[in-house]
């Protein structure tokens, strides 16, 4: 269990940095949870649909107050997070 928590914390930190460096991303909100709320500088719904087509399930939070163009992205395994980042980079 401690190992799982350690990996989750490491992956959250790593994913946060990778997302912050993407041109597609305008903001990554601070998080102490097992997910990140990410605001995109383009239509989040189109990103959501592109990720779903690739088999990556995220939650569209764009309709929530203060969450314009935001997706909630759960922290996955290192492999899952790498795949997510690769797909997001390909959307540029």
């Amino acid at each position: 269990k401690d190992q799982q928590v350690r990996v989750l914390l490491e992956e959250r930190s790593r994913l946060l940095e990778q997302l912050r460096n993407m041109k597609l991303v305008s903001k990554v909100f601070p998080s102490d949870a097992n997910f990140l709320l990410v605001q995109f500088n383009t239509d989040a719904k189109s990103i959501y649909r592109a990720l779903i087509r690739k088999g990556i399930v995220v939650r569209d939070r764009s309709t929530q107050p203060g969450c314009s163009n935001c997706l909630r992205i759960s922290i996955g395994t290192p492999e899952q997070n790498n795949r997510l980042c690769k797909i997001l980079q390909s959307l540029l």
Side-chain angles (χ1 to χ4, degrees):
K1 191 119 184 162
D2 289 344
Q3 171 74 4
Q4 288 175 320
V5 171
R6 187 179 59 74
V7 170
L8 173 77
L9 295 175
E10 287 173 3
E11 282 303 300
R12 183 178 66 203
S13 179
R14 186 175 74 90
L15 187 58
L16 174 79
E17 283 307 308
Q18 288 187 328
L19 290 168
R20 278 189 176 153
N21 291 318
M22 289 185 189
K23 292 181 179 168
L24 204 57
V25 173
S26 59
K27 182 175 184 175
V28 182
F29 292 85
S31 175
D32 290 327
N34 66 340
F35 64 87
L36 295 172
L37 185 65
V38 181
Q39 187 170 47
F40 292 87
N41 56 27
T42 187
D43 179 39
K45 289 188 185 311
S46 63
I47 294 170
Y48 172 82
R49 287 190 295 270
L51 290 173
I52 291 293
R53 281 194 300 273
K54 298 284 188 175
I56 295 179
V57 179
V58 296
R59 295 191 179 156
D60 184 359
R61 290 293 181 241
S62 296
T63 60
Q64 302 301 311
C67 293
S68 175
N69 284 320
C70 286
L71 299 178
R72 178 187 151 166
I73 300 174
S74 294
I75 308 302
T77 64
E79 296 79 17
Q80 290 167 332
N81 295 333
N82 289 342
R83 184 165 178 263
L84 167 72
C85 289
K86 186 176 178 182
I87 291 168
L88 286 174
Q89 292 286 29
S90 76
L91 298 178
L92 286 175

